[in-house]
Amino acid sequence: MDLIDRVDPSRRILFAGADQRVSTQDYLSGSLIILGFIDAAVEENERLVRNVDQVDKPFDLAWHLLAQCDLCALVGQYEELLENATKIVEICERHGYTARRSSAIRWRGHARSHLGELDAGIDDVRESMVLWRGQGVVFHTPEKTCELCDLLLRAGRIEDASQMLDDVDTLVFDTDEASYLAECIRLRGQIAAGRGDLTGAAHLFETAIATARRQQARLFELRAATQLAPVLARQGRVHEAATRLQAVVHTFNTR
């Protein structure tokens, strides 16, 4: 971003149709969230919001709003998330931005699922995946798959979630895609727990935690530890569960 700021906006190389600064800011914010640097992500988003009034291109505006959706989802502002996602869908339908429309529908589904419309949310995220995969790409697909699986598991649809994870394993086989590996393993642990296999679930959650640590993805480590804790508690290991969870939570130095 420091390099981009030195370049006149009229001379910047477009990235996927957007000003480099817009797309880079989005990836920076998303990476900070996964790394667990929540305050830095908030500050980056605030800087983005200050710049949004200067955006006059609809594609850049849509990408700006997508970055805001990341943060709204993180802090549980689901009404605002739904509002932003709806705006992006309208922009994308008006101008024919298929990939960005896919991302907007995904966030709309995420918002709906937390506002009491779980089935509608699942339908949205599934539609988002169909649009995304229609572009013939692999990247970001595991991320979208994990989000859909989370919703399916909330709805008690264990076998559907298991099949989706099998499908994404097949998709990424023999590629170097590993950005959401810890999340895929965590969801396998959730499935095992849902089937009553506490030993298998604990092993998968431990593997997810180790993977997240290796990849420095503290947000994913937190999620896996959060789901490991009740499994350990059900095994009578309540003190260990509390200690393990607190250790992860305390690594987040955030306001």
Side-chain angles (χ1 to χ4, degrees):
M1 289 186 66
D2 288 342
L3 289 170
I4 292 168
D5 282 342
R6 301 175 199 168
V7 179
D8 184 278
S10 66
R11 298 181 62 83
R12 289 179 191 160
I13 299 169
L14 295 183
F15 176 76
D19 185 311
Q20 275 182 315
R21 199 179 202 292
V22 177
S23 48
T24 304
Q25 200 161 20
D26 182 29
Y27 277 108
L28 174 60
S29 177
S31 298
L32 288 170
I33 289 169
I34 293 173
L35 283 164
F37 299 123
I38 308 302
D39 290 348
V42 171
E43 290 166 6
E44 195 59 43
N45 188 71
E46 288 172 345
R47 184 158 44 249
L48 183 151
V49 170
R50 286 196 297 271
N51 293 334
V52 75
D53 290 338
Q54 303 170 20
V55 175
D56 57 0
K57 297 178 182 177
F59 193 89
D60 288 356
L61 177 58
W63 209 318
H64 264 292
L65 291 171
L66 282 172
Q68 292 185 49
C69 286
D70 270 316
L71 200 61
C72 287
L74 179 70
V75 298
Q77 296 175 339
Y78 299 117
E79 294 283 1
E80 185 177 347
L81 176 60
L82 181 59
E83 181 181 342
N84 285 334
T86 302
K87 288 179 183 176
I88 303 166
V89 171
E90 291 171 354
I91 292 170
C92 294
E93 288 180 344
R94 191 180 312 126
H95 297 278
Y97 305 146
T98 304
R100 298 287 75 77
R101 178 169 170 261
S102 165
S103 298
I105 292 173
R106 157 206 173 197
W107 282 125
R108 186 179 69 187
H110 192 71
R112 284 176 167 175
S113 72
H114 285 277
L115 292 171
E117 300 180 58
L118 182 54
D119 288 340
I122 289 172
D123 289 343
D124 270 351
V125 179
R126 194 183 294 279
E127 180 186 352
S128 166
M129 283 194 62
V130 170
L131 286 170
W132 183 256
R133 290 292 297 127
Q135 306 299 300
V137 296
V138 173
F139 69 100
H140 288 316
T141 301
E143 175 184 357
K144 295 173 183 291
T145 300
C146 287
E147 290 174 351
L148 179 54
C149 286
D150 263 323
L151 298 185
L152 291 170
L153 290 171
R154 279 174 51 195
R157 296 164 59 176
I158 292 176
E159 298 310 318
D160 287 349
S162 180
Q163 183 60 58
M164 295 232 41
L165 289 172
D166 288 344
D167 291 344
V168 82
D169 282 349
T170 301
L171 178 68
V172 303
F173 180 75
D174 205 27
T175 76
D176 59 1
E177 169 60 63
S179 59
Y180 268 67
L181 180 58
E183 284 287 83
C184 289
I185 299 170
R186 173 186 67 81
L187 288 162
R188 294 278 189 194
Q190 226 182 322
I191 290 168
R195 290 171 173 166
D197 179 9
L198 299 186
T199 301
H203 174 71
L204 286 162
F205 288 141
E206 295 281 14
T207 304
I209 289 170
T211 302
R213 284 177 179 168
R214 188 174 69 251
Q215 297 187 324
Q216 299 178 300
R218 284 194 299 157
L219 182 66
F220 297 164
E221 181 183 353
L222 176 63
R223 289 178 181 172
T226 300
Q227 293 182 343
L228 172 64
V231 170
L232 294 178
R234 287 168 65 185
Q235 293 177 322
R237 300 155 65 185
V238 177
H239 177 72
E240 180 184 351
T243 301
R244 294 283 301 276
L245 186 55
Q246 287 172 0
V248 179
V249 170
H250 289 162
T251 66
F252 285 79
N253 180 20
T254 175
R255 297 188 301 273

